[in-house]
Amino acid sequence: MDEEERSHPFRDSQQDVAAARITPDTPQTRAPAYRLAFTDTEFLLREELRPVRLQLELLKPQMIMDARGIRSTVVMFGGARIPAPAEKDSARTPELAALSRYYDEARSFARQMTERSLESYGAENVICTGGGPGVMQAGNMGAFQAGGISIGLSIVLPHEQAPNQYVTPDLCFNFHYFAIRKMHFLMRAKAVTVFPGGFGTLDEMFEALTLIQTGRMTRVPFILFGREFWHKVINWQALAEAGTISPEDLELISFVETAEEAVAIIDNWVVPCP
């Protein structure tokens, strides 16, 4: 008996799953009640099992990333509809076509951060996107072109959407619960970057900002690409003047236009004194 067998004297779950496959076929063994609970999909999908499913969605990516030795990530939020410059002529609006420059900035930023990640053998500064098209694809592409790994946190949507081809396959996760997906975006975040986007991007941006503002999350570089876009869609100063946020809350955000500006902010970051 080896050391592992001595430390685990009971039969493991995989052995019992294998045994269940060769169980004699009878009315009793065919009944749903006889299935092992953790292999019974109908049982796991019951309303009462939601807390278990939430826990599983938290644990699976966490355990896989821990096993890969990933200690910190650089998060890239941004619109799925932002086209690559080569595709801007087919954009839905002239405004989207103009925003295509941020696709290249996203790719360049991810490439530069991944070059730093390679210095730690992929443990630090790992690019993390939503795994979809647009800015997300640009981020994963930049990491791929640098020869590194990147994470994709996909979400099941009513319409078909496959992860983009540049996400590292072993780090391509799929979520049912938006809340758990958001936790994984921020649990290891060393920096958060936000590119122009729509409702989803705004949702992710404001939730992360709220966590930092309220002290529930350590302050990290929070970088918005596209001054003109962000000042047009959100009147930041009006929020401060109305008193709904404090003037110093505006200091949580940096605005940039280029990948180089964003990298410089991250490279020179010093955690502010509380």
Side-chain angles (χ1 to χ4, degrees):
M1 180 181 294
D2 61 27
E3 184 176 345
E4 185 175 352
E5 288 174 324
R6 285 195 298 272
S7 63
H8 300 286
F10 302 110
R11 284 170 59 88
D12 63 36
S13 55
Q14 293 185 11
Q15 288 175 306
D16 280 351
V17 169
R21 293 195 185 104
I22 58 174
T23 299
D25 184 23
T26 70
Q28 289 76 25
T29 62
R30 289 194 298 270
Y34 189 76
R35 298 173 193 155
L36 289 168
F38 52 84
T39 67
D40 188 343
T41 303
E42 289 183 22
F43 173 69
L44 289 175
L45 294 180
R46 287 179 57 154
E47 185 75 13
E48 300 92 333
L49 271 289
R50 179 178 288 125
V52 175
R53 295 194 299 274
L54 284 161
Q55 185 177 23
L56 290 173
E57 282 213 342
L58 179 64
L59 278 173
K60 181 179 178 180
Q62 180 174 328
M63 292 171 67
I64 291 174
M65 283 191 263
D66 285 347
R68 288 292 295 261
I70 296 173
R71 294 193 295 267
S72 71
T73 59
V74 175
V75 176
M76 296 179 67
F77 295 133
R81 299 178 182 181
I82 304 296
E87 301 168 351
K88 67 179 183 179
D89 290 343
S90 60
R92 304 170 62 171
T93 66
E95 289 79 5
L96 273 179
L99 291 172
S100 67
R101 68 184 184 275
Y102 293 112
Y103 185 102
D104 272 347
E105 293 301 334
R107 181 173 57 176
S108 175
F109 172 76
R111 177 181 53 77
Q112 293 180 56
M113 293 310 304
T114 302
E115 288 169 355
R116 285 158 174 72
S117 178
L118 291 171
E119 296 171 3
S120 65
Y121 302 98
E124 306 284 354
N125 297 311
V126 178
I127 292 297
C128 179
T129 81
V135 166
M136 296 172 279
Q137 176 174 288
N140 295 119
M141 182 192 298
F144 178 82
Q145 291 174 338
I149 61 173
S150 68
I151 300 163
L153 306 181
S154 296
I155 188 81
V156 178
L157 298 173
H159 53 277
E160 287 295 324
Q161 178 178 300
N164 72 69
Q165 61 183 312
Y166 300 103
V167 180
T168 300
D170 291 343
L171 296 171
C172 188
F173 304 103
N174 200 18
F175 291 85
H176 172 71
Y177 297 105
F178 270 96
I180 301 300
R181 179 176 180 252
K182 288 178 182 176
M183 285 188 67
H184 277 295
F185 267 125
L186 300 178
M187 284 170 64
R188 291 173 168 81
K190 186 176 182 179
V192 175
T193 61
V194 190
F195 292 76
F199 286 165
T201 301
L202 291 166
D203 173 47
E204 292 157 345
M205 177 182 71
F206 279 119
E207 180 143 6
L209 268 178
T210 302
L211 288 170
I212 295 172
Q213 179 204 43
T214 56
R216 298 303 301 269
M217 175 181 168
T218 301
R219 187 172 173 183
V220 298
F222 203 97
I223 304 167
L224 274 60
F225 278 75
R227 291 179 182 86
E228 182 180 352
F229 175 85
W230 289 112
H231 285 297
K232 183 178 180 181
V233 300
I234 300 166
N235 193 333
W236 305 93
Q237 193 61 43
L239 293 172
E241 291 173 358
T244 55
I245 63 171
S246 301
E248 55 267 27
D249 289 335
L250 297 177
E251 299 173 6
L252 300 176
I253 306 167
S254 299
F255 295 92
V256 302
E257 292 300 322
T258 67
E260 288 71 25
E261 289 179 88
V263 171
I265 289 172
I266 294 170
D267 285 348
N268 298 306
W269 178 256
V270 176
V271 178
C273 296

